[in-house]
Amino acid sequence: MAHTRPQYQHWESVFTTDNEPIAHFIVGKLQNEGIEARIHKESAGSAYGINIGLLGKVDVLVRSEDVDRAVAFLETEDYEENEEE
């Protein structure tokens, strides 16, 4: 039986990055659209200051009932990190 934290059991990831500021930016954009969103970062990564690999992963979560709406909104925007030429 999988153990799920109660505060996240009805939340799903709609975006994953290793860049926490981008995750916060996306949460703000979703909230401006009326979609409740939050960030989830692996606690071990935060505790040890690791920001690469699985421990550096940052997920943007939305309520299960808002997944389709959030994904549709995110697909209309370009949130990829662009390298300067």
Side-chain angles (χ1 to χ4, degrees), residues 21-42:
I22 288 202
H24 282 282
F25 175 76
I26 290 171
V27 165
K29 294 289 274 184
L30 289 168
Q31 290 174 341
N32 283 340
E33 291 296 309
I35 301 169
E36 189 175 353
R38 62 174 59 162
I39 288 181
H40 177 261
K41 184 173 181 181
E42 176 60 46

Side-chain angles (χ1 to χ4, degrees), residues 51-67:
N51 59 5
I52 59 172
L54 291 176
L55 294 180
K57 182 176 85 162
V58 182
D59 287 305
V60 174
L61 306 177
V62 300
R63 292 191 180 276
S64 298
E65 60 267 19
D66 292 328
V67 169

Side-chain angles (χ1 to χ4, degrees), residues 3-12 38 61-62 64:
H3 294 280
T4 304
R5 293 184 199 179
Q7 69 267 32
Y8 295 117
Q9 70 189 91
H10 297 292
W11 294 75
E12 295 183 38
R38 62 174 59 162
L61 306 177
V62 300
S64 298

